[in-house]
Amino acid sequence: MTMDQPTFVYDGDCAFCTTCAEFIGRRIPTGASVLPWQFADLDALGLTVAQCEEAVWWVGTDGVRVAGPDAIARLLGASRPGWRLLGAGLRLPPVRLLAWPAYRWVARNRHRLPGGTAACSLPQATRDRLYGTAGDG
């Protein structure tokens, strides 16, 4: 599958993730589509709900998919020179080795971080049961 532009997918039900995505929109110019997985065509992106509950994802125009800090590095790499340098640094083996445990900690604790809400800690099936599915109204 090829796409017109890369896609960065995040959890739109998580206030912390949404705040980060809004920062990307304001500060990190990129040709990527940045969208919540709840409004993405996951089948077309080759992703599952379970994958999207676990991490942010980058799906390149060539169909390559990477998660977590690797996705963030790709997003930064698709931006201006300063951000590209930061993305390249995130790909360095010693930095990447530390980035994954840090990312997992943030993902597990995002409901405790500034902007996070209790819903951030719930699996999607539980969110759907408690709050209804996207599009219910």
Side-chain angles (χ1 to χ4, degrees):
M1 177 188 126
T2 59
M3 299 182 309
D4 294 340
Q5 66 186 100
T7 304
F8 184 82
V9 183
Y10 67 94
D11 185 353
D13 282 341
C14 173
F16 177 76
C17 299
T18 300
T19 299
C20 292
E22 289 169 354
F23 176 86
I24 291 166
R26 284 190 320 270
R27 305 284 183 183
I28 304 176
T30 177
S33 174
V34 178
L35 69 149
W37 68 259
Q38 291 87 347
F39 299 107
D41 183 347
L42 295 183
D43 288 336
L45 294 171
L47 298 172
T48 66
V49 169
Q51 288 173 310
C52 294
E53 286 180 335
E54 292 292 318
V56 296
W57 284 86
W58 173 270
V59 180
T61 55
D62 57 358
V64 169
R65 292 174 224 34
V66 294
D70 296 335
I72 296 166
R74 295 280 180 122
L75 176 78
L76 295 171
S79 188
R80 291 185 180 154
W83 292 112
R84 284 196 302 263
L85 184 61
L86 189 59
L90 191 53
R91 290 182 187 175
L92 294 173
V95 176
R96 188 172 180 265
L97 186 68
L98 297 173
W100 269 103
Y103 180 86
R104 287 187 191 107
W105 184 89
V106 168
R108 276 192 317 271
N109 293 283
R110 59 193 173 149
H111 60 287
R112 294 184 179 112
L113 298 173
T117 64
C120 297
S121 66
L122 300 175
Q124 187 62 36
T126 303
R127 289 185 221 168
D128 289 347
R129 191 175 67 253
L130 292 173
Y131 307 116
T133 58
D136 283 355

